[in-house]
Amino acid sequence: MRKTLILSVLLSVTLISVNAQKNEKEVLQKLEQKSEDYGTIAQKIWNFAEMGYQEEKSAGLLQETLKDAGFSITKGVAGIPTAFIAEYGSGSPVIAILGEYDALPGLSQKAVAVKESANKAAGHACGHHLFGTASTAAAISTKEWLAANNMQGTIRFYGTPAEEGGSGKVYMVREGLFNDVDIALHWHPGAQNAASAGAALANKSAKFRFHGVSAHAAGSPDKGRSALDGVEAMNIMVNMMREHIPQEARIHYVITAGGKAPNVVPDFAEVYYYARHNSRNVVIDIFDRMVKAAEGAALGTGTTMDYEMIGGTHELLPNLTLQKLVHDNLSEVGGIEYTEEENIFADKIAKTLGKEKADLAVAKNIQPYKTEARAYGSTDVGDVSFTVPTVGFGTATWVPGTPAHSWQAVAAGGTSIANKGMMVAAKTLTKTAMDLFKDKKLVEQAKTEFLEKRGADFKYIPLLGVRAPALDYRN
Ligand SMILES: [Zn+2]
């Protein structure tokens, strides 16, 4: 009798552990149990705070984590040392999960509710330490579910460096690394939980360099030709052009070199430009006109000009089939609740943003679903979205009301608040991946919508052209 009891207990324990991997609910519970481990990984990357194309330690840590979980790793893809692909399984469908891990220059910050530098060159002001870690967690839990159920299909994690200005994914798309992918999933840290069909602006950026002739500015000005005049003449023409371009276009520039001393006619000057619009064809047109303005400026000032493409990304191509699925999954997972300690931190952060206290309902709830959400940033996910059906969402990893690229985002990113928001993302990605592996019809439906929206005669042309990855753009 006793023996039977022990046996049956043993048997049920075994059954539970098998079920734990087979059953989707258990997969999510297991993921929740590992939230502390993933929090530790994210905090390590937060501390590394490595900038675009310099993310050796961050990429290394994620590779190690994926390798230990049974993924095969291909490093240094597309000519980028910190880009990699981790893969498990075989055959179709191929579901890709994107992960970023680059930090932003000049935004070093401690995990405290006052502005206080951690004295590093960069900080995770866009939460990419969470982005890479949640996507890794989701890839691993999906893999475990696939294995336990003997399912056919391939789960891939794409380690995509230098999102901030480096256009890392564009080189990976150009290399054809997404060609056999069926669906790509991504997410982004933020100040709220939302899975609406977001927009992003296509962009092109370049550095325009003018070369003149140095001379004493007072003694022999007739012998000199000012490179700075070239830059200024170009800027005047581009600023006039603003009146004659489509609405919603954006042009911004900074003068990155303009001479060293007023009494020396500068023989070198440089201006760094961005053009953006929600249609890449408009961006291409504006950019071509900017080049004409630069050529005209050089001609008129007796200087010469050359330019280097730095970045270029497509706008985002939304996929409503996938978007609705992700919204439903995010709603099921639900938002986050703060502990009292987190609440105190959040209220302090809210005060620095001009608010009485933090709006905790925003962290707890999911934003209503919209088929068209406005956004004015750009992302290299755009190029992926024109290659395969792609879907994304955001979770509340920062105190509600926090803008991206702020010290408040870095600060919250180093706390348990960020880890909670990150796990919401990991679970939503996992649920969505499992749904796609189970339902081939859904994958086909998403593909049909994708092909219809992209157009039958679409040909992928990278906006940054044929240049090699700008591996030193942060040096
Ligand atoms: Zn970002």
Side-chain angles (χ1 to χ4, degrees), residues 80 103 113 136 139 225 243 301 304 420 443 459 474:
I80 302 169
T136 296
R225 295 292 180 269
E243 205 181 350
T301 55
T304 61
K420 284 182 178 175
V443 174
K459 192 174 175 292
R474 288 290 192 220

Side-chain angles (χ1 to χ4, degrees), residues 100 126-128 131 163-164 188-189 405:
E100 298 172 3
C126 212
H128 294 180
F131 190 161
E163 189 278 329
E164 300 286 355
H188 204 286
H405 297 199

Side-chain angles (χ1 to χ4, degrees), residues 6-253:
I6 293 170
L7 249 177
S8 76
V9 167
L10 268 176
L11 199 67
S12 64
V13 168
T14 323
L15 277 176
I16 286 168
S17 72
V18 170
N19 277 338
Q21 291 155 327
K22 276 199 169 174
N23 179 299
E24 286 149 49
K25 219 174 178 176
E26 303 279 352
V27 169
L28 297 181
Q29 279 170 5
K30 209 175 156 199
L31 188 52
E32 174 63 33
Q33 284 160 14
K34 284 163 82 180
S35 55
E36 213 173 293
D37 297 342
Y38 287 122
T40 305
I41 292 172
Q43 289 317 304
K44 278 186 185 167
I45 298 175
W46 184 83
N47 268 307
F48 296 152
E50 296 170 300
M51 288 182 277
Y53 295 133
Q54 301 170 5
E55 316 98 325
E56 283 106 9
K57 287 188 227 158
S58 309
L61 179 56
L62 295 180
Q63 284 164 9
E64 204 181 292
T65 308
L66 286 152
K67 200 175 165 215
D68 288 350
F71 282 75
S72 64
I73 315 283
T74 312
K75 295 182 202 179
V77 296
I80 302 169
T82 53
F84 70 98
I85 296 172
E87 182 178 289
Y88 172 82
S90 62
S92 69
V94 180
I95 307 297
I97 304 180
L98 310 179
E100 298 172 3
Y101 31 78
D102 60 320
L104 278 153
L107 277 154
S108 179
Q109 165 68 30
K110 290 183 182 169
V112 293
V114 288
K115 192 171 186 296
E116 193 181 338
S117 173
N119 297 316
K120 290 180 189 165
H124 271 290
C126 212
H128 294 180
H129 62 304
L130 306 165
F131 190 161
T133 307
S135 297
T136 296
I140 291 172
S141 56
T142 305
K143 178 245 151 183
E144 281 168 5
W145 174 80
L146 280 175
N149 290 285
N150 262 322
M151 301 268 292
Q152 195 202 298
T154 307
I155 181 80
R156 259 189 222 154
F157 174 91
Y158 280 74
T160 64
E163 189 278 329
E164 300 286 355
S167 301
K169 291 179 199 69
V170 178
Y171 302 104
M172 297 173 82
V173 170
R174 193 176 74 178
E175 192 86 357
L177 299 178
F178 288 91
N179 288 359
D180 66 340
V181 170
D182 289 289
I183 307 281
L185 310 177
H186 68 108
W187 75 286
H188 204 286
Q192 58 179 23
N193 307 297
S196 291
L201 304 184
N203 79 2
K204 277 187 89 160
S205 63
K207 290 179 178 175
F208 293 86
R209 299 182 179 120
F210 289 81
H211 307 271
V213 180
S214 291
H216 194 292
S220 47
D222 54 310
K223 298 276 195 308
R225 295 292 180 269
S226 168
L228 181 60
D229 285 355
V231 165
E232 290 194 82
M234 175 185 178
N235 292 349
I236 287 167
M237 281 188 267
V238 173
N239 284 330
M240 285 174 162
M241 206 172 87
R242 291 180 195 274
E243 205 181 350
H244 309 288
I245 56 175
Q247 289 286 1
E248 303 287 298
R250 296 274 192 278
I251 298 176
H252 16 273
Y253 64 83

Side-chain angles (χ1 to χ4, degrees), residues 232-302:
E232 290 194 82
M234 175 185 178
N235 292 349
I236 287 167
M237 281 188 267
V238 173
N239 284 330
M240 285 174 162
M241 206 172 87
R242 291 180 195 274
E243 205 181 350
H244 309 288
I245 56 175
Q247 289 286 1
E248 303 287 298
R250 296 274 192 278
I251 298 176
H252 16 273
Y253 64 83
V254 287
I255 297 174
T256 38
K260 298 262 191 284
N263 62 346
V264 180
V265 175
D267 67 348
F268 178 74
E270 183 186 82
V271 59
Y272 186 3
Y273 264 96
Y274 267 61
R276 310 194 206 223
H277 188 269
N278 59 18
S279 157
R280 67 188 175 285
N281 289 330
V282 173
V283 171
I284 290 167
D285 180 60
I286 291 172
F287 186 83
D288 288 348
R289 288 166 69 191
M290 272 163 42
V291 172
K292 289 274 174 238
E295 286 167 357
L299 191 67
T301 55

